[in-house]
Amino acid sequence: MKEKGSDLKITEEMERKKLQDRYIRFDWAIKRLLRQKANFDVLDGFLTVMLNEEIKIVEILESEGNQESADDKFNRVDIKALNSKGEIILVEIQNTRELHYLERILYGVAKAITEHISLGEGYEKIKKVYSISILYFDIGIGTDYIYHGQNHFVGVHTGDHLRVNTRERDVIVSRLPAEIFPEYILIRVNEFDKVALTPLDEWIEYLKDGTIHPDTTAPGLKEAREILKYYSMSPEERLVYDRHLDAIMIQNDVIGTAKLEGRIEGKAEGKVEGIRQVASKMKNTGVDIATIAKYTGLSEEIILSL
């Protein structure tokens, strides 16, 4: 009996140590913890690594994704921040596939630009915007896990980069368009499959599976080891968080099954009828109408009638 009791204690101790090193997912942290100024160091570190320059967040701005909604646990969780240079940084996490995703992030950037210039102000007041998308779905075909997009005007015949002259305080200033136009970073989390050797890799590893090494020197991750511990939450908060994780797993499973059934039924009974049957099954499973419409292309009216 003593031996069994000893084994049980060892098992419990191992489990306790394992859970001590369990960290909160970044989407949950962004929505609930990293919006507090005392925790900006984590976000500063993440953005410094992503943008390859030192970033200091001075303010978290309101955005659509910060508001609670019926399906926020499944889809977008984003943060809109202002850095010390007055530039706008959008960080968005997408857990499941969304149609026309590139168009949506373009709209989000355009909206951020127009929101921060008042009617009658000169165009020089326009803020540069960085858009960072953390994606947990396969957005397309590519061999890398991070893609960066930026506007450049390149000479068709010479290959040189155009510099645009502007007048500021009676001084002619030469700027590359890339200093003004938005920048986009797409992080394909599930494509990361290497040993983390750089701060960038360490951050992607954390985003993928929650790993933060005890000896990490990556900006922001050392602070995250303290701030984002699972057991730093109250039992009530942990319960809500665990339900959030369960909801994501269930949603991904439902959508994955729906896609498979849609392909099978689409071939057997005709594409339209197959999609309608899949939509009906998703509805019966409890998936919200907006999400069903997004993934099937059916109107909300048709879905409600099923």
Side-chain angles (χ1 to χ4, degrees), residues 118-267:
S118 302
L119 191 64
E121 282 188 319
Y123 290 123
E124 72 276 4
K125 298 291 185 182
I126 285 177
K127 304 291 186 185
K128 180 177 174 70
V129 176
Y130 297 90
S131 172
I132 302 174
S133 298
I134 302 168
L135 309 175
Y136 288 89
F137 67 90
D138 185 9
I139 195 171
I141 300 169
T143 56
D144 208 334
Y145 55 93
I146 297 184
Y147 285 85
H148 177 245
Q150 190 174 16
N151 289 72
H152 299 276
F153 290 92
V154 182
V156 174
H157 301 100
T158 62
D160 71 313
H161 289 251
L162 176 69
R163 284 186 174 273
V164 178
N165 293 330
T166 58
R167 182 179 291 277
E168 289 184 10
R169 297 173 187 168
D170 296 323
V171 177
I172 299 297
V173 178
S174 181
R175 280 204 182 106
L176 285 169
E179 296 176 69
I180 301 165
F181 282 98
E183 293 186 36
Y184 301 87
I185 295 176
L186 302 180
I187 304 171
R188 303 166 73 213
V189 177
N190 296 333
E191 299 303 311
F192 180 78
D193 61 354
K194 55 190 284 190
V195 176
L197 299 176
T198 67
L200 178 59
D201 288 345
E202 287 190 59
W203 262 104
I204 305 303
E205 186 177 45
Y206 161 62
L207 294 176
K208 182 173 183 177
D209 59 24
T211 299
I212 305 179
H213 299 284
D215 57 349
T216 182
T217 59
L221 281 183
K222 184 177 179 182
E223 293 81 0
R225 276 183 59 84
E226 299 304 316
I227 296 168
L228 304 185
K229 279 188 175 178
Y230 177 74
Y231 273 96
S232 66
M233 295 188 292
S234 69
E236 293 79 14
E237 289 171 328
R238 290 201 297 271
L239 180 62
V240 176
Y241 174 71
D242 289 340
R243 285 175 177 165
H244 166 73
L245 297 186
D246 289 343
I248 289 173
M249 289 177 66
I250 291 168
Q251 178 74 355
N252 286 337
D253 184 56
V254 168
I255 290 171
T257 301
K259 281 184 193 173
L260 177 61
E261 291 181 351
R263 285 195 293 269
I264 294 170
E265 293 175 7
K267 287 177 183 177

Side-chain angles (χ1 to χ4, degrees), residues 21-39:
D21 280 336
R22 180 181 172 189
Y23 298 97
I24 300 165
R25 274 175 59 109
F26 199 53
D27 59 348
W28 188 269
I30 274 183
K31 192 143 189 172
R32 289 162 174 81
L33 300 174
L34 301 185
R35 304 179 60 75
Q36 302 163 15
K37 198 156 190 173
N39 296 337

Side-chain angles (χ1 to χ4, degrees), residues 272 275-276 279 292-300 302-303 306:
V272 175
I275 289 173
R276 289 171 67 97
I292 298 172
K294 186 189 305 178
Y295 289 102
T296 61
L298 299 176
S299 70
E300 294 190 5
I302 289 174
I303 296 166
L306 295 176

